[in-house]
Structures are given as structure tokens and as C-alpha cells.
Amino acid sequence: MKPSLPTQELLSPGHTACQGCGAGLAMRLALKALGADTILVVPACCWTVLSGAAPRSSVGVPLLHSPFAGAAATASGVRAGLSARGNDHTTVVAWAGDGGTFDIGIQALSGAAERDEDIIYVCYDNEAYMNTGIQRSGGTPAGAWTMTTPGAGGSPRPKKDLDAILEAHHLPYQATATPAFAEDMVRKFQKARGVKGFRFIHVLAPCPPGWKYDPQDTVRLSRLAVQTGLFPLYEIEEGKFRLSVPVANRKPISEFLTLQGRFKSLSPEAGLAAQQEVDARWAVLGKRMAA
């Protein structure tokens, strides 16, 4: 039987990711799709550490560390430098967490998107500043415990709608992905590699210590995020929306929330509000799919 995924491995075993790290799974799948002719630009995030200290690296492609706020700007510079040397084939990828994307890096991200820089920007979203001790970010959902939202109500603010912000930049390609749907994720990275201009991929990457769950449940949670409708998997090509993994019968969001200790203090009312929010979002998606 032909393998459903590329067999090439560009992520080395023995790296320092936590057991069950969703960001580690995401990098492995992304590199399978992108191939060796790739340069990674990584700002401050978990992957600053996971990539390893120079001259050794856990990734089998060149990797450049950038300032926290400047992943998109640095990647744009790398692309310009390669093009000046006549190299238009190497794929340049900015690989940043939600802190460096939703918050600290959003200015450079917006600028690069508006200029239509020929790079792929990937946000691996574990919904908090995990590398520095689990602080709330703009990607943290309402009600989630973090070290900076330790009270009974958890995070008081809803998660920033980053995908809508990026869609407003009229990108040639935009997608969501998560490791449980590996074939879908690899296909999207392969497609993004072949598109010119600014491409954005939002990857949901569960985090065992930050979300407080058993590491063996990473793929299960990744799958439940999609099956409950919390994280729809779609792509937008030149403004055309397509749901890549349809969900006919959505599971209740409680199946996703109750597996995680960070939602332990979530009230029944807050849980109901979360379900209603997902239902409302799917009503909007339904209209987009019917259009």
C-alpha cells in the first residue's frame, strides 16, 4: 500500500519537546510537506528551544532565529536576499507561536501580508505563552486557566479572531490545520508551497502542560477540536472558501473541554455560552459554504 504521507523525515528524534507536544507533531508534518528546500524563521517561542542550539538542530533545514516581534519581517528579508541571488525556488517559512502572532508579532505580520510578501507564515497555536510559563495570550480562549488568569473564571476575554484579521488582507492562500488530520495538513502545506505571495496557515497545536491533560490525548484533543466545530478545517484560495473536513454531526463542545484541566473551573453557564458561540459560528460557515 502506498503511504498516505511523504516518508521523508526532516525532524530528528531526541529533540526536547514535551511528551505529546502538538507543536512537535505539527513541525514534523509540515516539514514532510515542505521538503528540504526550505528555510525556517523562528521568533521567541517553544520552537526557539526545540530547534536546538547552533551548530546542531533538530530540523533538517536551515533555521534563522528572529526577534519576538519580527518573524514576518525577517522572513521577508530572507526572501528578498534569496531572490537577489536568483533563488526563487527555496520556500521561506515564518514559524511562530500564538504569542508571537496574535500579539507581539501582529504588526510585522500585517505588514508582510499587506505587501503580499512571498513567504508562508505559520502560527502553531497552543493558546498561551507556553515557553515562558503558560501566560495568557490573545489566542487564549475565554474561561481557560493560565498563570496570569488563575482565578475561578479563567481568561476573561474571548480568543482573538486572527483568521478574520488575516482574511481581511485578501491573501492568495489561507488555511487552518491540526495534526490529527495529518493528510489534510500535509496537503495544505504542499499546496501553500506552490502558491506565490503571502500564505497563512493557522495550526491548532495542543499542549499537555499548558492545557493540563494526559500527553497521550494530544491527537484525541486535536480531533475533538474539529469534531465539535471549535476549530473548523478550511482553506481560502483567492477569496474562495472551502471546508476541507466537513463535520456532519458535531459533538458537544463539553467533550473537548472536560479533558483539560485548564477548564476545570468553567461554570455550566460559561460552558453553555461556549457551545452557543460555536453554534453561531457554524451558522455563519453554513452560509459561506452555501454561497
Side-chain angles (χ1 to χ4, degrees), residues 201-272:
I201 301 180
H202 182 182
V203 180
L204 185 68
C207 172
W211 292 17
K212 297 187 178 299
Y213 67 86
D214 191 311
Q216 70 177 352
D217 288 330
T218 292
V219 172
R220 181 183 178 189
L221 276 168
S222 175
R223 186 176 295 114
L224 278 171
V226 177
Q227 292 172 335
T228 59
L230 184 66
F231 192 78
L233 294 180
Y234 63 82
E235 56 190 349
I236 305 171
E237 297 181 73
E238 299 293 349
K240 186 175 181 181
F241 177 92
R242 186 181 76 86
L243 197 67
S244 61
V245 178
V247 182
N249 298 299
R250 288 185 286 117
K251 295 184 177 182
I253 194 174
S254 58
E255 293 192 25
F256 175 79
L257 300 176
T258 53
L259 282 176
Q260 304 168 62
R262 63 174 177 158
F263 292 113
K264 186 176 181 180
S265 63
L266 199 69
S267 67
E269 294 77 15
L272 178 60

Side-chain angles (χ1 to χ4, degrees), residues 45-61:
C45 62
C46 292
W47 263 101
T48 303
V49 179
L50 304 187
S51 62
R56 298 177 177 85
S57 176
S58 63
V59 294
V61 298

Side-chain angles (χ1 to χ4, degrees), residues 96-224:
D98 49 285
T101 304
F102 284 71
D103 302 336
I104 295 173
I106 196 167
Q107 181 179 8
L109 169 62
S110 178
E114 190 276 330
R115 295 190 305 272
D116 197 26
E117 298 283 359
D118 189 21
I119 63 173
I120 300 175
Y121 190 105
V122 180
C123 174
Y124 72 92
D125 181 8
N126 49 34
E127 300 190 324
Y129 289 84
M130 300 305 186
N131 188 44
T132 52
I134 318 173
Q135 296 88 14
R136 181 192 177 275
S137 79
T140 302
W145 172 94
T146 70
M147 289 293 288
T148 51
T149 56
S155 176
R157 296 286 297 157
K159 182 170 184 169
K160 186 184 296 182
D161 193 350
L162 183 70
D163 295 325
I165 293 171
L166 267 296
E167 187 176 355
H169 289 73
H170 309 291
L171 308 180
Y173 186 76
Q174 178 175 347
T176 58
T178 196
F181 295 85
E183 290 86 356
D184 176 75
M185 182 173 172
V186 166
R187 183 187 60 79
K188 286 171 177 173
F189 272 86
Q190 289 174 331
K191 181 178 286 188
R193 184 183 60 189
V195 174
K196 290 295 183 182
F198 191 92
R199 296 139 284 170
F200 177 73
I201 301 180
H202 182 182
V203 180
L204 185 68
C207 172
W211 292 17
K212 297 187 178 299
Y213 67 86
D214 191 311
Q216 70 177 352
D217 288 330
T218 292
V219 172
R220 181 183 178 189
L221 276 168
S222 175
R223 186 176 295 114
L224 278 171

Side-chain angles (χ1 to χ4, degrees), residues 20-31:
C21 175
L25 290 173
M27 179 65 84
R28 182 187 178 195
L29 291 171
L31 289 176

